[in-house]
Amino acid sequence: MTAAADTGLILRAAQFAAMKHRNQRRKDKEATPYINHPLALANVLWHEGRITDARIIAAALLHDTVEDTRTTRAELARAFGKSIASVVAEVTDNKWLDKKTRKRLQVEHAPHLSPSARLVKLADKICNLRDLAASPPADWSLARKREYFDWAKQVVDGLRGENRRLERLFDRAWRARP
Ligand code: NDP
Ligand code: ZN
């Protein structure tokens, strides 16, 4: 793709995600607009991970649309193509399963993720650990935060080897655990 087409794809994904998440907030006590989170992933990948593949940046922007909004994989495939929709599907939990099973499956599935999905998953975990350290949900106990950090590490330990730089960023965020 040309640079102009890359920019167009990224802008379209940002607008699509902003529209889909428009009524959602993060769990921190300021109830930050949800879109800040996909934008954070995209920035971590681009500026810190030096990932310049526009399809991966677009997948990061879209990564929570199927899990957290009414967006379907087919809708993403129509709007952004099958490969971006497939990366989003790989990082989407099955909403029909209970939370404990979803957490276990993320650990089990991590070693089988595609290279692109590994990058998006790494950025997601980096951003969530940073959020938990800087602006956690108001009602989370210290024990619950620590359990989340340890679970995130189990997921990331299963997908190492794809991008050392992002893995180091994750490890740095993990070492700052509460
Ligand atoms: P949740 O999955 O309910 O919440 C974490 C998710 O919320 C993140 O993965 C992120 O997902 C999203 N999120 C939204 N806002 C924020 C924010 N400000 N900071 C970080 N993440 C945010 O977590 P769990 O209920 O699974 O709890 C984590 C751990 O704690 C689990 O291991 C669970 O077993 C344990 N637990 C402990 C309890 C206790 O009292 N000790 C009680 C309940 C659970 P996304 O990127 O998809 O938006
Ligand atoms: Zn996320």
Side-chain angles (χ1 to χ4, degrees), residues 34 37 63-64 124 128:
Y34 200 93
H37 167 66
H63 83 280
D64 274 333
D124 196 24
N128 283 337

Side-chain angles (χ1 to χ4, degrees), residues 26-28 34 37 64 67-68 99 103 124 128 131-132 135 137 140-141 143-144 147-148:
R26 298 291 283 169
K27 294 172 181 169
D28 59 295
Y34 200 93
H37 167 66
D64 274 333
E67 193 170 299
D68 294 332
K99 195 181 266 185
K103 298 266 163 193
D124 196 24
N128 283 337
D131 280 352
L132 271 184
S135 48
W140 279 35
S141 66
R144 185 165 179 179
E147 281 173 50
Y148 189 92

Side-chain angles (χ1 to χ4, degrees), residues 34 49 75 84 164:
Y34 200 93
E75 186 182 355
I84 288 175
R164 296 286 177 212

Side-chain angles (χ1 to χ4, degrees), residues 97-106 151:
L97 302 173
D98 61 84
K99 195 181 266 185
K100 216 175 153 199
T101 306
R102 290 165 62 162
K103 298 266 163 193
R104 177 173 56 77
L105 288 178
Q106 278 206 36
W151 166 74

Side-chain angles (χ1 to χ4, degrees), residues 59-158:
L61 289 167
L62 299 165
H63 83 280
D64 274 333
T65 56
V66 175
E67 193 170 299
D68 294 332
T69 79
R70 290 173 194 272
T71 309
T72 63
R73 178 178 179 167
E75 186 182 355
L76 285 185
R78 280 194 298 276
F80 297 100
K82 272 191 181 165
S83 74
I84 288 175
S86 148
V87 173
V88 174
E90 282 189 84
V91 299
T92 298
D93 283 357
N94 180 343
K95 285 178 284 191
W96 305 107
L97 302 173
D98 61 84
K99 195 181 266 185
K100 216 175 153 199
T101 306
R102 290 165 62 162
K103 298 266 163 193
R104 177 173 56 77
L105 288 178
Q106 278 206 36
V107 176
E108 286 178 19
H109 289 161
H112 309 291
L113 292 176
S114 67
S116 300
R118 283 171 199 244
L119 301 178
V120 175
K121 183 67 97 178
L122 268 166
D124 196 24
K125 293 292 182 269
I126 291 166
C127 290
N128 283 337
L129 293 198
R130 289 177 179 177
D131 280 352
L132 271 184
S135 48
D139 57 344
W140 279 35
S141 66
L142 180 60
R144 185 165 179 179
K145 284 185 229 169
R146 285 186 175 160
E147 281 173 50
Y148 189 92
F149 270 73
D150 289 340
W151 166 74
K153 186 168 184 309
Q154 282 184 56
V155 176
V156 166
D157 283 348

